């Protein structure tokens, strides 16, 4: 049954017309008495049978498909490599087919001697961010009249990830976290590096934190208490709602997120990346940022879509005290009122920085209350403004 289905799949439009002629011709000849129709039917059968050897004959061809790199930045050169090998006595076909970014491409093959191989390089357009599917490579077996066509897969398909462009910037927490171990919080603890004061000993205190010299002077046991330091964990939140960011600003915003995220991971700081569209999905409010490549892969497939408002997106941040720095990346169309509403959701012990991605706008550092606001027109502006220090 499977073989019969495959045989029917091999029929082209012209092949189905011949099948119809082969079936109807003899029947019409018998009913109407027209012998000419019988000849048409017999001729159709002969053509169908003669086409079969063309699609069943062997092909001595091997194809290896590879990419110059599985991941590149926007605008970086990338190529698909087809390594063609003639492995037997049969001649190579004239061409093979593959899809390049969803566009069918026919690749002409050279004539090769038995055992020879030839490399074919295909440039890939990387002018825009996204996933580009390359392949699979197919070989079409057909007869001269195009009655039958059989497609054979010669290789599996591959995917090229075109990442947002990034630049190298100063430490992602420049100007915000000055303590070597982290920022000191207002809560006091019995064990850390930032000494705060002494207090009376209480039952259950660790004897190791008793300050014996001062205790001897005062005649009562006194213990040290410390300001617990908090690591400068970083959260990046960006909007993907069409009403908040234009398409041009969105691409710049993703490059800013990718740049800050890459710098944060290089500093070996904890990172969370939240975008407003993903926050609508229960259980999936954050991007995968375990490694830099996985973060950039996730950003590559983010698109502008219906999304939560910024202030609702930040609800998950308000529910935790793990963050120390919040980079709020927005588009040039995001108004001051909406930014104030979003900042109202930020916990008081989190240091926010607003980065406004506004395509071709002049670079600028301003303040929204006490919060720094960086206006970025081109990605390189981020280097200059962070070098000047966002806390200035």
């Amino acid at each position: 049954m499977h073989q019969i289905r495959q045989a029917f799949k091999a029929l082209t439009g012209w092949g189905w017309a011949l099948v119809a002629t082969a079936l109807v011709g003899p029947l019409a000849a018998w009913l109407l008495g027209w012998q000419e129709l019988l000849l048409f039917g017999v001729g159709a059968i002969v053509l169908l049978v003669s086409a079969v050897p063309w699609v069943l004959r062997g092909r001595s061809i091997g194809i290896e498909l590879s990419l110059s790199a599985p991941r590149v930045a926007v605008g970086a050169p990338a190529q698909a490599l087809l390594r063609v090998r003639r492995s037997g006595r049969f001649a190579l076909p004239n061409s093979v087919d593959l899809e390049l970014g969803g566009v069918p491409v026919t690749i002409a093959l050279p004539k090769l001697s038995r055992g020879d191989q030839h490399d074919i390089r295909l440039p890939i357009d990387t002018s825009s961010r996204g996933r580009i599917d390359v392949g699979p490579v197919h070989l079409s077996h057909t007869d001269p009249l195009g009655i039958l066509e059989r497609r054979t897969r010669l290789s599996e398909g591959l995917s090229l990830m075109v990442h947002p462009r990034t630049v190298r910037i100063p430490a992602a927490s420049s100007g915000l976290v000055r303590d070597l171990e982290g920022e000191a919080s207002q809560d006091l603890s019995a064990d850390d590096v930032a000494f705060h004061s002494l207090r009376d000993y209480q039952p259950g205190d660790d004897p190791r934190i008793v300050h014996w010299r001062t205790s001897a002077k005062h005649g009562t046991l006194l213990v040290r208490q410390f300001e617990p330091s908090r690591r400068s964990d970083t959260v990046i939140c960006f909007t993907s709602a069409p009403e908040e960011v234009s398409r041009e600003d969105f691409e710049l915003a993703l490059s800013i997120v990718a740049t800050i995220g890459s710098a944060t991971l290089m500093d070996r700081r904890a990172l969370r990346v939240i975008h407003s569209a993903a926050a609508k999905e229960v259980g999936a409010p954050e991007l995968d940022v375990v490694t830099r490549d996985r973060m950039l892969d996730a950003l590559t497939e983010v698109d502008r879509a219906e999304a939560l408002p910024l202030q609702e997106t930040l609800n998950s941040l308000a529910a935790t005290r793990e963050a120390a720095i919040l980079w709020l990346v927005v588009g040039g169309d995001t108004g001051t009122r909406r930014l104030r509403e979003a900042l109202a959701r930020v916990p008081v012990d989190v240091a926010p920085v607003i980065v406004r991605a506004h395509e071709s706008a002049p670079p600028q550092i301003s303040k929204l209350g006490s919060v720094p606001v960086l206006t970025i027109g081109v990605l390189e502006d981020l280097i200059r403004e962070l070098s000047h220090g966002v806390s200035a």
Side-chain angles (χ1 to χ4, degrees), residues 139-166:
L139 171 64
S140 295
H141 306 260
T142 187
D143 59 277
L145 297 179
I147 299 170
L148 300 177
E149 183 179 22
R150 181 168 63 92
R151 288 173 62 82
T152 303
R153 177 177 291 191
L154 299 179
S155 78
E156 297 299 322
L158 302 174
S159 292
L160 172 68
M161 304 299 290
V162 182
H163 290 164
R165 194 168 68 90
T166 60

Side-chain angles (χ1 to χ4, degrees), residues 354-358 361-366 373-377 381 385:
I354 297 174
V355 184
R356 189 188 295 271
H358 196 177
Q364 181 183 1
I365 300 178
S366 58
V373 180
L374 286 65
T375 299
I376 306 297
D381 292 341
E385 295 191 9

Side-chain angles (χ1 to χ4, degrees), residues 124-143:
I124 302 175
D125 181 13
T126 61
S127 59
S128 59
R129 172 186 59 88
R131 176 197 292 267
I132 299 177
D133 293 324
V134 181
V137 180
H138 287 102
L139 171 64
S140 295
H141 306 260
T142 187
D143 59 277

Side-chain angles (χ1 to χ4, degrees), residues 20 35-36 52 54 61 145 165 174 183 193 210 218 239 246 265 282 311 331 335 364 375 383:
Q35 298 303 316
E36 294 82 357
V52 171
W54 289 90
I61 182 174
L145 297 179
R165 194 168 68 90
S174 174
E183 284 186 324
V193 297
V210 174
H218 288 77
T239 178
S246 67
L265 292 175
V282 177
Q311 60 269 28
Q364 181 183 1
T375 299
I383 305 174

Side-chain angles (χ1 to χ4, degrees), residues 50-73:
S50 63
V52 171
W54 289 90
V55 298
L56 294 181
R57 64 178 180 171
R59 299 285 187 179
S60 302
I61 182 174
I63 294 281
E64 294 179 13
L65 176 63
S66 61
L67 299 173
S68 57
R71 300 174 174 90
V72 297

Side-chain angles (χ1 to χ4, degrees), residues 166-167 169 172 236 255-268 271 292-293 295-296 299:
T166 60
V167 294
I169 61 171
I236 305 174
S255 290
I256 292 171
V257 172
T259 296
I260 296 173
S262 297
T264 302
L265 292 175
M266 288 182 64
D267 289 344
R268 296 185 178 181
L271 174 67
R292 181 177 182 271
D293 281 343
M295 177 193 69
L296 294 177
L299 289 173

